[in-house]
Amino acid sequence: MNDGIVLPNHPEKTVYLGQVFDDRATSYKFFWFLAILSLAEKESANALRMADLFTEMAALAWHPVCLYRLSLGGQDTLQNAVREIQRTSTLEPDATSAEIRRFVEESVAARVKLNYFKRHVPTRFLTPWFRENLRGVVDSRRDALIARLAKESQQTALASPYWFDCGSIRLNDSWRGFFVENRVVVQSFAEHHLALYLQARNPNVPGVVNKLRARPERQLAAAHQFWRIVRTDFEKPAEFQDIYSGRPLADSFSIDHFLPWSFVVHDLLWNLTPVAIDPPTNSLKSDRLPDLDLYLPRLAKLHFAAIKIARKQPRLLEDYTDCFKQDVPRLLALGEDGLEGKYREVIVPQTQIAINLGFKPGWKWKMPSGTIELFSPKESAEEEAIPPKVQQVSSAESKPQLPVITASHEPEDVISPESVIVQFPERAGKEFRQKHLPYYSLKVAAGGFIAGDAPDPEGWVNVVRLGFSRRSFKGMFATRVVGKSMEPTINDGALCVFRNPVEGSRQGRVVLVKKRHFSDPETGGNFTVKRYRSTKVIDENSWRHDAIELIPDNPDRQKYPVIRLAPEDCEDLQVIAEFVAMLDLKSEKL
């Protein structure tokens, strides 16, 4: 095998595998082969179902694509399939492989999406074994020919690794033994070539070789120890503070990666800063990029003070000297402004690369009561929430309030949407954050998300208590939809869950849209909830909307006609959020 990797007694195998990975035009061969290695070790039989292999391919590609936001190639089909599965599943970017496999196995749409790879992937991987036989053969006939040659080769000394049998591949006994016996070396060889492939498509992105698998355990113990050592010697104790909120830090603090860990994939001290635990700054910031004009000077100032305090222990400062290419005396000679300049030289270019990958820039700290990000699960000392206080919320589109059920629990009893809206408690524990979504009136939601940040919630709704069961609440909020145009999908006055932003294709989805100089026939507002459908005109170099239709689900077209928008009317149409679910307000759920 090439690249300095030698496997004794298997020259015929190493030569062919080397030829497979010499061609780096597409990503599928890497993930297909890694899926075979994974299942060959787990399964006792030599037959591996293709559907299981495609599921494993998605699980293997998930973290490079969803967590680390690497590109597999501009038109890579596997990348597009994984992104679509993420959009429809609400799985987190750092979901476990078991969670990904379970969702795919339970989702017909996901399995259909992945079944696309059955067309060429299993056969084209075997091309090096039959290169001579394929010379001059037209592309449309290659797959059938490779399948026949693979089966025939099993009786020869140069058998291919597998052949095909009724929706499965059957591993050659010799090849299966080779994979299992040399699993670590063979997998390392494949991952090495995958890293080269990804680096070529993600130039300047740091740590690509460390972005092939799920998030490892972070090594932050040394950072905690460092900041505990230096904090007691700050000239002004109040200057040991959370750089985002400006609050002085006590003995207990958390550690934040200034540039997100999922981008840098390291725990080097120069990129770490102590932050407050309550409320948790880490949860508020998540993996967004901080506003550099506001926070980079604070970061440099805090680290300059730390370097000054620890100057007599240069071993603690190796991360700084390695990063900035200066020894400790020279770093101190720079002063605060000079160190800030060094930070800008390092962080500004990396920030731009992160933005290009899709990381959201410009994050600023604000009080938790105004942010959706409170729902990122975070362990804290306070696990018990103060019981919330009921708040009556009114809005311009509210209907007369339904009776609130307090004692009767008959199956047909229905509570008012307003009666389940509560104020956010001053100190909320993990349990509250995992069950509640922010509430906005539809009018506020239609306008508040346009600027890019969530508006301040008008209240909070315990959606789990109302039958909503999703693992992730990311980007979701509760609102009340008025009108009968979307029945039976959405009942008049129903409390519903929506998600912002709308990612991927909008075709056929129920969405909240807003448009100037537009009036919904039911509400009179310049926003509406309808099913989205568009038709496009495609020419040689581009495409454009031919028309957009906003379609009521209510079949009564006399009362609820389809709203058709011509191309010239579509320019200022804004798709704000997508409908996720209608909440169950029957009292027996409570």
Side-chain angles (χ1 to χ4, degrees):
M1 199 172 286
N2 55 15
D3 292 311
I5 298 176
V6 179
L7 295 176
N9 304 321
H10 295 285
E12 77 290 353
K13 292 179 170 56
T14 58
V15 168
Y16 281 116
L17 283 180
Q19 292 177 15
V20 169
F21 296 123
D22 280 344
D23 177 11
R24 299 171 185 156
T26 57
S27 73
Y28 77 78
K29 64 183 62 180
F30 303 107
F31 293 106
W32 169 253
F33 181 65
L34 289 170
I36 290 175
L37 289 181
S38 177
L39 295 189
E41 188 173 57
K42 296 176 184 176
E43 303 291 340
S44 57
N46 279 17
L48 305 177
R49 293 175 62 245
M50 285 197 207
D52 294 338
L53 288 164
F54 299 147
T55 297
E56 194 69 14
M57 286 174 67
L60 290 165
W62 183 272
H63 297 110
V65 171
C66 300
L67 177 60
Y68 304 117
R69 310 188 191 204
L70 297 177
S71 171
L72 303 186
Q75 303 298 321
D76 191 90
T77 308
L78 179 58
Q79 170 180 275
N80 295 337
V82 169
R83 286 176 176 168
E84 180 66 14
I85 291 170
Q86 183 191 29
R87 186 190 68 77
T88 57
S89 68
T90 71
L91 288 168
E92 294 290 351
D94 60 351
T96 66
S97 296
E99 290 172 328
I100 299 162
R101 294 186 197 102
R102 184 163 55 249
F103 174 81
V104 172
E105 290 164 0
E106 295 174 355
S107 169
V108 174
R111 293 200 306 274
V112 169
K113 191 82 175 174
L114 293 172
N115 200 49
Y116 166 86
F117 299 106
K118 186 176 181 180
R119 296 174 57 193
H120 300 302
V121 171
T123 50
R124 299 302 169 97
F125 181 86
L126 297 178
T127 297
W129 280 265
F130 311 113
R131 204 175 298 278
E132 291 299 321
N133 304 78
L134 295 171
R135 291 188 186 278
V137 178
V138 296
D139 190 74
S140 60
R141 298 182 57 190
R142 287 188 166 217
D143 293 306
L145 178 57
I146 290 172
R148 178 171 63 81
L149 292 171
K151 188 169 185 178
E152 292 174 355
S153 76
Q154 301 307 307
Q155 308 304 319
T156 71
L158 297 177
S160 62
Y162 55 82
W163 77 99
F164 303 93
D165 181 28
C166 299
S168 298
I169 65 168
R170 288 190 170 272
L171 293 178
N172 175 277
D173 287 336
S174 175
W175 274 100
R176 186 176 190 277
F178 169 75
F179 291 152
V180 174
E181 179 185 349
N182 303 285
R183 166 67 186 272
V184 174
V185 177
V186 175
Q187 180 170 325
S188 298
F189 174 74
E191 289 181 344
H192 166 72
H193 282 279
L194 174 58
L196 294 176
Y197 173 89
L198 293 174
Q199 190 69 74
R201 282 148 186 81
N202 299 270
N204 303 317
V205 173
V208 167
V209 71
N210 296 319
K211 295 180 177 179
L212 305 184
R213 298 195 185 115
R215 185 193 308 265
E217 288 295 324
R218 303 188 189 184
Q219 306 298 320
L220 297 177
H224 275 282
Q225 182 66 16
F226 173 81
W227 287 108
R228 289 193 183 101
I229 290 171
V230 302
R231 70 174 294 274
T232 57
D233 290 326
F234 268 69
E235 292 181 7
K236 297 179 181 179
E239 290 182 353
F240 182 70
Q241 61 182 226
D242 185 325
I243 65 170
Y244 305 115
S245 67
R247 292 170 296 168
L249 296 172
D251 293 338
S252 296
F253 52 83
S254 183
I255 297 292
D256 174 65
H257 291 73
F258 189 78
L259 294 176
W261 181 91
S262 53
F263 172 67
V264 297
V265 200
H266 64 63
D267 301 312
L268 298 178
L269 199 56
W270 58 266
N271 187 53
L272 303 177
T273 181
V275 292
I277 294 176
D278 185 20
T281 298
N282 271 332
S283 294
L284 299 175
K285 179 169 169 281
S286 188
D287 65 352
R288 288 174 293 181
L289 298 159
D291 185 299
L292 297 188
D293 290 336
L294 183 57
Y295 299 121
L296 189 55
R298 300 184 190 179
L299 179 75
K301 180 179 180 179
L302 183 70
H303 280 270
F304 183 80
I307 293 170
K308 187 176 179 181
I309 293 168
R311 64 186 181 277
K312 294 182 179 179
Q313 302 183 63
R315 182 182 56 81
L316 298 177
L317 303 176
E318 289 178 355
D319 286 354
Y320 298 99
T321 57
D322 290 344
C323 176
F324 301 123
K325 310 304 179 188
Q326 303 275 1
D327 61 20
V328 174
R330 289 178 180 176
L331 286 176
L332 291 173
L334 292 172
E336 287 183 8
D337 292 341
L339 186 64
E340 181 186 335
K342 287 293 183 183
Y343 261 100
R344 288 193 178 276
E345 290 175 8
V346 172
I347 285 183
V348 170
Q350 292 197 43
T351 298
Q352 186 57 58
I353 295 170
I355 293 171
N356 295 343
L357 290 177
F359 288 86
K360 187 177 179 181
W363 176 83
K364 295 180 181 180
W365 189 92
K366 60 182 178 179
M367 288 299 294
S369 60
T371 61
I372 288 180
E373 289 76 9
L374 279 169
F375 294 102
S376 299
K378 185 72 180 173
E379 297 294 339
S380 68
E382 278 106 9
E383 292 297 334
E384 297 299 324
I386 295 176
K389 179 174 66 177
V390 173
Q391 177 191 29
Q392 298 297 330
V393 176
S394 61
S395 63
E397 55 274 328
S398 293
K399 294 275 185 175
Q401 186 170 319
L402 297 171
V404 178
I405 306 300
T406 56
S408 174
H409 287 274
E410 295 298 320
E412 298 303 316
D413 289 340
V414 177
I415 65 170
S416 162
E418 286 77 15
S419 69
V420 298
I421 301 168
V422 301
Q423 290 181 333
F424 191 75
E426 294 180 2
R427 294 167 63 193
K430 179 179 178 181
E431 183 179 356
F432 187 94
R433 296 193 302 270
Q434 290 181 332
K435 293 182 179 180
H436 289 72
L437 285 180
Y439 172 87
Y440 312 103
S441 66
L442 202 59
K443 182 177 181 180
V444 168
F449 284 95
I450 292 176
D453 289 327
D456 289 343
E458 300 169 56
W460 303 84
V461 177
N462 186 332
V463 293
V464 174
R465 194 180 179 196
L466 299 176
F468 186 70
S469 57
R470 291 287 184 97
R471 181 179 179 273
S472 171
F473 285 177
K474 185 176 181 181
M476 295 184 185
F477 62 91
T479 189
R480 185 175 178 227
V481 178
V482 174
K484 298 182 178 181
S485 66
M486 289 306 293
E487 292 183 343
T489 305
I490 303 175
N491 297 332
D492 183 17
L495 195 63
C496 300
V497 174
F498 281 74
R499 176 171 49 215
N500 166 271
V502 181
E503 298 176 339
S505 172
R506 303 158 181 172
Q507 197 79 332
R509 293 153 74 178
V510 176
V511 294
L512 167 62
V513 299
K514 184 177 183 179
K515 175 177 165 51
R516 289 182 300 159
H517 312 304
F518 165 82
S519 179
D520 187 313
E522 283 190 287
T523 67
N526 64 344
F527 54 89
T528 189
V529 175
K530 295 290 185 288
R531 195 171 295 278
Y532 183 100
R533 183 169 68 193
S534 68
T535 55
K536 297 180 177 69
V537 175
I538 302 175
D539 57 29
E540 291 183 359
N541 300 315
S542 63
W543 64 269
R544 58 181 172 82
H545 283 298
D546 180 50
I548 289 178
E549 294 181 332
L550 304 176
I551 306 170
D553 279 4
N554 192 317
D556 189 341
R557 287 292 174 261
Q558 287 189 335
K559 289 185 178 181
Y560 310 107
V562 175
I563 300 170
R564 292 183 172 86
L565 302 174
E568 59 270 20
D569 297 324
C570 298
E571 292 183 0
D572 64 343
L573 183 72
Q574 296 170 300
V575 181
I576 308 299
E578 66 173 309
F579 170 75
V580 177
M582 182 169 61
L583 297 174
D584 187 351
L585 295 177
K586 289 183 179 180
S587 61
E588 71 265 22
K589 290 282 184 183
L590 305 178

